[in-house]
């Protein structure tokens, strides 16, 4: 895999050229879309494979946060990421110049004078029209943003009054706003890495489910008052294993085929012991080797146990010993 951090920041002038340069970073990194998504998540960003594919499949200027997530996942240095972001802002500024020039150079309406028009109020309002329009636009955008956040929340549910921000009694996947961001910050404070972006996406759902399993709560993937009470209570989470500790334990346990064991665990879970994936049929897969609900039932273990990296690796070693290989798992690279 090529180290993207050594690649120079490109000299491009258009949004299309900027996206082409980002595609080149991804191509030379040697990472699949799924690899990038998991690396981005580990770095505290949210970048699903579908979002990445959409971003790299268009010729429009991508969002700043998705650019940062992609570059960070590909190993770009912080200094070069800053340069990439600066370049993006320069392109964005140039793209907005024609519209701004057109607005500021539009001559006033001289078809009728103040005195001649019976519909024009007295006084020269043209002197304040442009700044007034700008203030109105800013206010309208703020209002639309507030209404958009409100529209994403379930209707008819009661609101909490424990903070300055009124939050729904239940938070679930698909919501967006400061209430979700507060939840994410509290999860991070408990050692559950998740992007703090205000979006209740799959990564946040995964962390919520993991905490519910560890705390002995109903594993629903939604956040309610018992969940928040447990989140504020005594610690229930073990000290998380670092990626290096996970890799070391895998190599020791699977000594005859250590490299493949590490590769597989990285592919299915990103070497994240607390990873929980919700499948299309609503079932879940748990931990480093993503054992299914059915497999946990057959082995007679609960979900908390499944999230223990020691147990998860030992269970995978048992499967590997019986089959002689890793054919039990299927993890194909993303396009």
């Amino acid at each position: 895999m090529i180290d993207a951090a050594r690649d120079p920041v490109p000299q491009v002038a258009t949004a299309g050229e900027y996206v082409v340069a980002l595609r080149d970073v991804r191509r030379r990194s040697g990472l699949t879309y799924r690899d990038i998504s998991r690396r981005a998540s580990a770095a505290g960003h949210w970048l699903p494979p579908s979002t990445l594919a959409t971003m790299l499949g268009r010729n429009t200027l991508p969002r700043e946060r998705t650019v940062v997530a992609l570059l960070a996942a590909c190993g770009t240095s912080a200094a070069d990421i800053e340069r990439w972001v600066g370049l993006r802002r320069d392109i964005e500024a140039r793209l907005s110049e024609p519209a701004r020039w057109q607005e500021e150079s539009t001559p006033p309406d001289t078809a009728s004078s103040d005195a001649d028009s019976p519909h024009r109020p007295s006084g020269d309002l043209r002197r304040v029209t442009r700044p007034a329009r700008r203030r109105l636009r800013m206010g309208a955008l703020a209002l639309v943003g507030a209404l958009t956040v409100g529209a994403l929340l379930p209707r008819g549910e009661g609101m909490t009054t424990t903070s300055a921000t009124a939050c729904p009694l239940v938070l679930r996947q698909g919501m967006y706003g400061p209430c979700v961001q507060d939840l994410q910050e509290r999860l991070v404070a408990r050692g559950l890495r998740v992007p703090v972006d205000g979006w209740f996406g799959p990564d946040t759902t995964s962390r919520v489910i993991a905490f519910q399993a560890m705390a002995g709560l109903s594993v629903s993937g939604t956040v309610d008052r018992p969940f928040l009470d447990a989140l504020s209570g005594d610690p229930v989470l073990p000290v998380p294993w670092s990626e290096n500790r996970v890799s070391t334990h895998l190599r020791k346990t699977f000594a005859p085929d250590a490299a493949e064991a590490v590769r597989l665990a990285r592919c299915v879970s990103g070497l994240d012991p607390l990873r929980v994936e919700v499948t299309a049929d609503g079932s879940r897969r748990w931990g480093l080797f993503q054992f299914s609900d059915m497999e946990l039932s057959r082995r007679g273990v609960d979900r908390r146990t499944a999230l223990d990296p020691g147990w998860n690796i030992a269970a995978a070693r048992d499967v590997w010993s019986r089959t002689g290989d890793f054919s039990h798992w299927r993890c194909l690279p993303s396009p």
Side-chain angles (χ1 to χ4, degrees), residues 48-301:
S50 59
T51 300
L52 177 60
T54 300
M55 176 179 73
L56 297 181
R58 295 177 176 173
N59 290 321
T60 54
L61 199 62
R63 292 183 179 182
E64 185 173 305
R65 68 179 184 182
T66 55
V67 170
V68 173
L70 168 61
L71 295 173
C74 289
T76 306
S77 68
D80 279 347
I81 290 177
E82 187 175 349
R83 296 188 187 97
W84 274 89
V85 170
L87 178 59
R88 182 202 170 280
R89 291 174 180 172
D90 289 343
I91 296 173
E92 185 177 40
R94 285 196 295 272
L95 289 173
S96 65
E97 283 176 1
R100 186 167 58 247
W101 175 87
Q102 183 178 10
E103 176 186 336
E104 295 179 354
S105 62
T106 301
D109 182 9
T110 58
S112 61
S113 65
D114 295 341
D116 296 336
S117 175
H119 305 290
R120 186 187 298 276
S122 60
D124 188 359
L125 298 183
R126 287 172 292 178
R127 296 177 183 174
V128 296
T129 299
R130 187 175 299 121
R133 283 203 306 268
R134 290 175 181 169
R135 287 194 295 272
L136 287 172
R137 279 199 299 269
M138 293 297 292
L141 288 173
L143 177 61
V144 169
L147 292 175
T148 300
V149 171
L152 289 174
L153 302 179
R155 297 178 180 178
E157 292 188 355
M159 295 292 185
T160 65
T161 57
T162 58
S163 66
T165 302
C167 295
L169 291 177
V170 176
L171 296 174
R172 57 172 61 90
Q173 186 166 321
M175 290 182 173
Y176 178 84
C179 299
V180 176
Q181 183 171 331
D182 178 70
L183 166 67
Q184 292 168 334
E185 290 172 349
R186 295 172 68 178
L187 288 170
V188 171
R190 298 302 297 269
L192 291 163
R193 294 175 303 174
V194 65
V196 182
D197 56 7
W199 173 253
F200 201 132
D203 285 338
T204 301
T205 299
S206 174
R207 293 318 194 199
V208 167
I209 291 175
F211 183 84
Q212 288 171 329
M214 300 298 291
L217 300 172
S218 174
V219 181
S220 63
T222 60
V223 174
D224 53 14
R225 176 52 56 189
F227 180 96
L228 295 175
D229 289 343
L231 196 60
S232 302
D234 295 332
V236 296
L237 300 180
V239 177
W241 284 29
S242 66
E243 184 173 316
N244 182 62
R245 182 180 178 186
V246 170
S247 297
T248 299
H249 196 71
L250 283 169
R251 294 182 185 280
K252 184 182 300 184
T253 304
F254 293 91
D257 202 355
E260 180 61 14
V262 173
R263 186 206 68 80
L264 178 64
R266 187 185 300 279
C267 182
V268 298
S269 68
L271 294 181
D272 181 357
L274 299 179
R275 186 73 186 178
V276 181
E277 294 281 356
V278 181
T279 63
D281 62 4
S283 63
R284 288 150 295 206
R285 296 185 176 275
W286 303 82
L288 282 169
F289 284 91
Q290 294 288 280
F291 286 101
S292 67
D293 288 325
M294 185 175 295
E295 288 174 308
L296 298 187
S297 178
R298 289 172 179 171
R299 290 176 175 270
V301 300

Side-chain angles (χ1 to χ4, degrees), residues 254 260 263-265 268 285-292 295 299 312-323 325-332:
F254 293 91
E260 180 61 14
R263 186 206 68 80
L264 178 64
V268 298
R285 296 185 176 275
W286 303 82
L288 282 169
F289 284 91
Q290 294 288 280
F291 286 101
S292 67
E295 288 174 308
R299 290 176 175 270
N312 208 283
I313 292 174
R317 179 66 166 78
D318 176 63
V319 173
W320 177 81
S321 298
R322 287 187 285 104
T323 60
D325 55 28
F326 292 100
S327 59
H328 177 78
W329 294 270
R330 181 177 176 83
C331 189
L332 298 177

